[in-house]
Amino acid sequence: MTTIIPLTQRVAWQALEAHYRKVHELHLRQLFADDPTRGERMTTEAIGIYFDYSKHRITDETLTLLLQLVAESGLRSRIDAMFRGDKINVTEKRAVLHVALRTPKGQAIIVDGEDVVPGVHAVLDKMADCSTQVRSGEWKGYTGKRIRNIVNIGIGGSDLGPVMAYEALRHYSQRNLTFRFISNIDGTDFIEATRDLDAEETLFIIASKTFTTLETMTNAHTARDWLLKTLKHPDAVARHFVAVSTNVEEVAKFGIDTANMFEFWDWVGGRYSMDSAIGLSTMIAIGSEAFRAMLDGFHQMDEHFRTAPFDRNLPVLMGLLVLWYNNFFDVQTMAVLPYEHYLKRFSAYLQQLTMESNGKHVTQDGTEVVYQTGPIYWGEPGTNGQHSFYQLIHQGTKLIPCDFIGFTQPLNPLGHHHDLLLANMFAQAEALAFGKTPQEVQAESIPAWLVPHQTFEGNRPSSTILLERLTPAALGKLVALYEHSVFTQGAIWDIDSFDQWGVELGKALAARIIPELETEDKNRLKHDSSTNTLIRHYVKARFQCH
């Protein structure tokens, strides 16, 4: 293994520190004035995605130094290692092979001496059979009625991916089927999701790799009780539940026919699993052909990331821009702003993908980092966000780089709505970059006292990502674009982007607290004084109500 020099000791990093001091006050107005071709030159286009990064606070030298940092960080060898199936998730000693989920038949990826691609396609074929049966009405419930309601029960990647994909691809969904998603252990989530459903027409998908996840299995058992309250006989469970899991014993014990268990593997992280069997609800919604088109979109981006020169590599360029602001401008957050209402859950999905992956404080060998790692991701669709938080992005004291995502063709043409939508997107990027000077405000005969309030500093950076239309393939490309951008960042920061130990401590403490909420014995509490007091207050209130 090639030894990588610690990040802050790399030649390119130190050159970037010096370069930042030289260019950080440059204004985008000046950069565009000095280079009239900047808006055409600082773009790249690949696999149907047009990426404009000209409105970033960078120069050609910035890009050269960032690409030098990529070379010094061993990104190429890291990419090759992932696609080879090497165990690059070092803390869990696992391969990282979400790319295998969309690898075409006939190609091979070897993990522990076994080609995993045939197994992937066997599961896809099994999913397609299930999907076809449900969509056609062939799958009948226990009383002989066709299934009309599909409820996915999962949490984390087993929920965020399916919810986002369903909303994103609703245009392609079979509209005589109803889809609901339950994730929260808060009982309200289950009650509201099932309130108007007929148990005889409802199929539950229980998505839990181990079939032991607290939230998922609590909701799964509640779903079984809900079903049996109407259908009475335990045999009904097998006609109304399927599982996405690897735990055959627990699935069978629950009452699910193991022939209706859909497998996935330990080399698929939850936040990278929407195109695995976790996507069963997506396939039922849009059909197997559209699902495979989505996989093809993923694969196109995988191949672009694997083979394209880094100076024209979309995920690499995106990842480097995040690093530039995160590590040199001390930016804390990144906004993702899709101008497509179907992508209303996309930013929420990216929150897990980005922050669970790169929210790390040590390098792969356990050394405490001395630089910032993953930023906070957030966002909402345009134009709604313009009437909410854009004020802060334009005139606040925080620097927030933005990703604008738009499509040239609408899925639902309606008058000139789409032109208005895209006009707003282009205008916001322009306003953020160039602002409005005091002189420009004064020229509008604005009273002097009001001029500072109507001045826009500008110099707020953004990328614009354009595709033709939101198809299943386009969604696959977009998700993989962000997946590989996250990979690029993590490789340079030398962190493990594929574990998530940060979620474990809270789980362990919750398991300890659960029995303490079911008794009034105050002497059992061994927490800090704040937690002890909160538990006592809660228990007292609960028992008083009972």
Side-chain angles (χ1 to χ4, degrees):
M1 177 182 286
T2 304
T3 301
I4 301 294
I5 297 170
L7 179 56
T8 57
Q9 295 176 28
R10 295 172 203 166
V11 172
W13 180 274
Q14 294 175 355
L16 280 163
E17 289 181 319
H19 174 70
Y20 166 77
R21 291 190 291 271
K22 185 172 68 174
V23 303
H24 75 280
E25 292 185 350
L26 281 177
H27 200 289
L28 284 164
R29 292 190 206 107
Q30 189 63 49
L31 291 170
F32 272 82
D34 291 345
D35 179 6
T37 66
R38 181 182 175 93
E40 297 88 46
R41 199 167 54 79
M42 286 190 166
T43 65
T44 192
E45 190 167 7
I47 61 168
I49 296 178
Y50 182 85
F51 180 58
D52 176 4
Y53 57 94
S54 63
K55 295 187 182 76
H56 282 285
R57 293 166 65 171
I58 57 173
T59 66
D60 290 339
E61 184 182 2
T62 315
L63 282 174
T64 298
L65 291 173
L66 287 169
L67 290 166
Q68 182 183 332
L69 182 64
V70 165
E72 293 178 11
S73 302
L75 178 62
R76 174 59 65 198
S77 63
R78 292 278 293 165
I79 293 172
D80 292 343
M82 175 173 71
F83 279 86
R84 263 198 318 268
D86 293 4
K87 295 180 179 178
I88 63 171
N89 178 350
V90 293
T91 68
E92 297 178 301
K93 297 181 173 60
R94 291 175 179 170
V96 174
L97 274 177
H98 43 282
V99 295
L101 299 171
R102 49 265 195 161
T103 297
K105 285 182 179 178
Q107 297 185 17
I109 298 178
I110 308 300
V111 178
D112 294 330
E114 178 185 356
D115 181 4
V116 301
V117 177
V120 167
H121 284 275
V123 172
L124 283 171
D125 291 342
K126 186 175 178 181
M127 290 167 62
D129 289 342
C130 174
S131 167
T132 299
Q133 289 181 51
V134 175
R135 289 167 61 84
S136 67
E138 181 184 344
W139 186 301
K140 299 294 195 298
Y142 184 66
T143 62
K145 288 187 176 182
R146 71 166 290 176
I147 294 298
R148 299 183 186 276
N149 312 308
I150 295 88
V151 182
N152 187 87
I153 297 180
I155 198 163
S158 300
D159 170 73
L160 289 165
V163 170
M164 182 277 289
Y166 173 68
E167 293 294 348
L169 301 177
R170 184 185 284 233
H171 181 77
Y172 305 92
S173 66
Q174 186 165 316
R175 297 303 178 111
N176 65 345
L177 298 176
T178 296
F179 291 83
R180 301 282 168 80
F181 301 87
I182 299 172
S183 59
N184 203 328
I185 204 168
D186 185 338
T188 297
D189 198 11
F190 184 91
I191 292 296
E192 291 296 339
T194 57
R195 182 180 296 278
D196 59 346
L197 301 185
D198 181 346
E200 294 179 84
E201 299 178 339
T202 300
L203 176 69
F204 290 95
I205 301 170
I206 310 302
S208 172
K209 185 183 293 187
T210 62
F211 230 64
T212 59
T213 308
L214 173 67
E215 297 93 339
T216 300
M217 295 317 300
T218 299
N219 281 322
H221 284 283
T222 300
R224 186 172 64 181
D225 292 344
W226 176 85
L227 182 88
L228 294 178
K229 185 177 180 181
T230 299
L231 301 185
K232 311 302 182 185
H233 201 287
D235 288 351
V237 173
R239 296 304 305 159
H240 292 269
F241 283 81
V242 300
V244 180
S245 182
T246 56
N247 192 334
V248 177
E249 184 178 344
E250 287 299 319
V251 167
K253 190 187 301 183
F254 187 90
I256 296 174
D257 183 347
T258 55
N260 295 323
M261 186 184 93
F262 300 86
E263 183 186 6
F264 63 122
W265 303 269
D266 66 3
W267 39 259
V268 181
R271 56 191 175 274
Y272 296 90
S273 67
M274 62 169 277
D275 49 343
S276 71
I278 291 295
L280 179 60
S281 62
T282 309
M283 187 183 281
I284 295 172
I286 66 174
S288 61
E289 185 177 342
F291 191 89
R292 290 180 191 274
M294 182 181 75
L295 296 182
D296 180 63
F298 272 102
H299 181 65
Q300 288 183 55
M301 182 58 72
D302 294 341
E303 287 300 291
H304 170 75
F305 179 55
R306 187 178 68 85
T307 63
F310 288 154
D311 63 343
R312 298 192 300 278
N313 191 304
L314 298 172
V316 172
L317 290 171
M318 279 185 64
L320 290 175
L321 290 167
V322 172
L323 182 138
W324 173 236
Y325 294 112
N326 184 71
N327 291 103
F328 297 94
F329 284 81
D330 198 28
V331 157
Q332 301 297 308
T333 80
M334 312 290 294
V336 178
L337 310 170
Y339 277 65
E340 167 55 74
H341 195 70
Y342 283 126
L343 289 179
K344 62 186 177 182
R345 294 289 297 172
F346 190 62
S347 299
Y349 172 78
L350 291 183
Q351 287 177 335
Q352 186 197 20
L353 173 64
T354 58
M355 293 193 280
E356 197 169 80
S357 294
N358 285 344
K360 308 295 167 59
H361 71 113
V362 295
T363 62
Q364 293 187 85
D365 66 3
T367 304
E368 193 83 21
V369 299
V370 293
Y371 42 82
Q372 290 291 308
T373 57
I376 298 162
Y377 274 75
W378 59 284
E380 282 288 325
T383 60
N384 291 6
Q386 293 174 200
H387 300 271
S388 175
F389 52 78
Y390 277 43
Q391 167 64 41
L392 186 147
I393 302 178
H394 279 289
Q395 288 188 312
T397 58
K398 305 286 190 294
L399 183 66
I400 302 174
C402 302
D403 286 349
F404 291 99
I405 302 172
F407 299 85
T408 60
Q409 302 296 327
L411 291 178
N412 297 297
L414 185 63
H416 63 312
H417 281 237
H418 196 68
D419 288 343
L420 294 176
L421 179 70
L422 269 290
N424 272 275
M425 186 182 82
F426 297 142
Q428 290 299 323
E430 183 178 20
L432 286 170
F434 304 110
K436 193 172 185 179
T437 67
Q439 293 76 22
E440 290 170 329
V441 178
Q442 289 165 355
E444 297 175 352
S445 301
I446 301 298
W449 67 270
L450 200 49
V451 168
H453 298 276
Q454 295 194 13
T455 296
F456 291 72
E457 179 187 7
N459 220 20
R460 312 294 172 107
S462 69
S463 300
T464 299
I465 300 165
L466 282 173
L467 300 89
E468 182 179 0
R469 60 168 47 88
L470 179 54
T471 61
L475 181 66
K477 292 173 188 178
L478 272 177
V479 173
L481 173 63
Y482 280 92
E483 286 178 349
H484 298 318
S485 173
V486 165
F487 181 98
T488 297
Q489 297 160 45
I492 295 173
W493 289 323
D494 191 28
I495 58 178
D496 189 337
S497 297
F498 302 102
D499 62 13
Q500 55 280 328
W501 298 106
V503 306
E504 298 302 325
L505 178 59
K507 287 183 185 178
L509 291 175
R512 176 181 162 192
I513 290 171
I514 289 167
E516 296 172 345
L517 302 184
E518 297 168 352
T519 176
E520 290 187 278
D521 182 2
K522 300 175 183 179
N523 296 321
R524 292 181 58 188
L525 301 180
K526 306 294 183 184
H527 305 279
D528 62 274
S529 60
S530 171
T531 305
N532 286 342
T533 302
L534 287 167
I535 291 172
R536 291 189 190 106
H537 182 86
Y538 173 82
V539 170
K540 181 180 178 182
R542 285 276 286 167
F543 276 90
Q544 282 177 344
C545 288
H546 290 316

